Amino acid sequence: MTAPHGFSVSRYAPERGTFARLTARDSVLRRLDWPILLSALALSLMGALLVWSATRGRTELNQGDPYYFLFRHALNTGIGLALMTGTVWLGHRTLRGAVPILYGLSILLILAVLTPLGATINGAHAWIVVGGGFSLQPSEFVKITIILVMAMLLAAKVDAGDQLHPDHRTVAKALTLAALPMGIVMLMPDLGSVMVMAVIVLGVLLASGASNRWVLGLIGAGVLGAVLVTALGMLDEYQINRFAAFANPDLDPAGVGYNTNQARIAIGSGGLLGSGLFKGSQTTGQFVPEQQTDFVFTVAGEELGFVGAGLILVLLGVILWRACRIARETTELYGTIVAAGIIAWFAFQAFENIGMTLGIMPVAGLPLPFVSYGGSSMFAVWVAIGLLQSIRVQRPITA
């Protein structure tokens, strides 16, 4: 028989059922990177248990409900999964056309932090309280915006076949657009987020094929900027104290060095297998501050031991490994740059967070991706996973 538009269809050729369509070689489910998805989900679930352990006895935080943070962490993870699904459905190429709008919204949000709408939490004036116990940290979403806007500019002429590498003028524009939100975030001041953004910019430049002079210049500018920020007194006292405690761990162990010392005690007491979930003396005794957010890795070290903490590192390693593979296999520079920016973001933020609990990095107030409690951070990292999945899903199918 003849189908519409002149296509010949055999009467004996059955239509593919739902299961067959979902499992076909060209289906979205088959083309997803499942190791990344399952590793990120496992980290979020581990994070829920660790956050629960750290907060179930903290009545001054959980409003008398021991399940308060567990439920909210699970809710944040669910919303994050929905955002990832929406990102995959829209596709990174569709979002490429919306980058100017996303960039403008990001600038407005971080500017709003500097108005009376902004709030100070844990020493950083980087939040917008939206009510109902919820708050928004716009700098988390700026990380995504910087990746997308730089990728859009640096890859435009290369993907069109007009150039082999971004020219100097294009690189200058990309760096200018990245510098604007970074400068605003520095005014908060949110030094930790600016550090992550700087590493993202460096990773993006390296992936774009830009001249090495730009990379070396960026590193030099970063060193000079750090000196100027310190000399001009742009850092708050608590930030200066954090660097002082890092440089001298024995400095004021009951004051500025308290967090790091207690974190190392907690991790060191866990041994190989840990003391058991909900049984850590440092955690139940509430000796380590901010254990549900910045210092959540100490709960893993104490209660799950080397094995549990090592599992977190392995899962993060799987995500980075698969993301590197996605960046290498995509056929467009835009996808490569986006993936590279996410890799730089995840790798540095995880290293900084875990490093500060071990005393090998200064305390910078950065959450551990997927594990720490925090809605803005959770939403941002799952959107990033959605971008990675979209890059993989939309690549050509090879024979």
Side-chain angles (χ1 to χ4, degrees), residues 1-256:
M1 63 179 177
T2 302
H5 309 295
F7 290 102
S8 178
V9 179
S10 170
R11 71 178 65 188
Y12 301 106
E15 293 185 3
R16 288 195 298 181
T18 302
F19 178 78
R21 291 196 300 271
L22 291 175
T23 57
R25 187 165 179 264
D26 60 346
S27 69
V28 172
L29 286 180
R30 281 284 297 273
R31 305 189 74 187
L32 287 176
D33 193 300
W34 286 98
I36 279 186
L37 180 58
L38 294 178
S39 295
L41 187 58
L43 284 171
S44 295
L45 294 177
M46 285 186 69
L49 292 176
L50 298 176
V51 167
W52 185 22
S53 177
T55 59
R56 65 194 187 98
R58 302 288 298 270
T59 54
E60 77 280 10
L61 295 177
N62 62 26
Q63 304 181 16
D65 180 5
Y67 300 98
Y68 179 80
F69 281 93
L70 174 64
F71 171 76
R72 291 169 76 93
H73 188 91
L75 177 62
N76 289 338
T77 301
I79 295 173
L81 284 167
L83 290 172
M84 181 207 72
T85 303
T87 303
V88 176
W89 179 74
L90 285 173
H92 67 289
R93 292 171 184 162
T94 301
L95 289 174
R96 185 176 188 170
V99 166
I101 298 174
L102 296 175
Y103 182 82
L105 288 175
S106 296
I107 296 296
L108 290 176
L109 281 174
I110 54 178
L111 284 175
V113 174
L114 302 178
T115 71
L117 295 174
T120 301
I121 299 178
N122 296 331
H125 190 78
W127 304 79
I128 298 175
V129 177
V130 295
F134 290 93
S135 56
L136 184 70
Q137 189 177 9
S139 58
E140 290 293 335
F141 303 102
V142 171
K143 298 169 187 176
I144 299 174
T145 304
I146 287 177
I147 293 172
L148 292 177
V149 74
M150 291 190 72
M152 180 190 70
L153 284 174
L154 294 172
K157 293 182 179 179
V158 177
D159 285 340
D162 298 331
Q163 295 177 351
L164 291 177
H165 305 288
D167 56 39
H168 293 304
R169 185 176 180 181
T170 301
V171 175
K173 287 181 180 179
L175 290 177
T176 301
L177 288 177
L180 176 59
M182 290 173 64
I184 298 173
V185 173
M186 193 64 219
L187 292 175
M188 296 179 181
D190 186 356
L191 181 60
S193 293
V194 172
M195 290 168 58
V196 177
M197 293 172 193
V199 173
I200 287 173
V201 171
L202 183 60
V204 164
L205 280 184
L206 288 170
S208 70
S211 171
N212 289 335
R213 285 180 290 178
W214 284 105
V215 176
L216 294 174
L218 182 63
I219 295 174
V223 174
L224 178 62
V227 173
L228 289 176
V229 164
T230 305
L232 295 175
M234 295 180 64
L235 297 180
D236 283 347
E237 183 178 358
Y238 80 94
Q239 293 172 319
I240 297 174
N241 290 338
R242 286 175 173 179
F243 282 101
F246 169 69
N248 182 8
D250 297 324
L251 176 68
D252 192 10
V256 296

Side-chain angles (χ1 to χ4, degrees), residues 269-295:
S269 66
L272 180 63
L273 299 177
S275 58
L277 199 61
F278 310 130
K279 297 179 181 179
S281 58
Q282 290 288 110
T283 300
T284 56
Q286 304 174 14
F287 291 104
V288 184
E290 306 302 330
Q291 268 194 299
Q292 74 277 15
T293 53
D294 299 347
F295 287 90

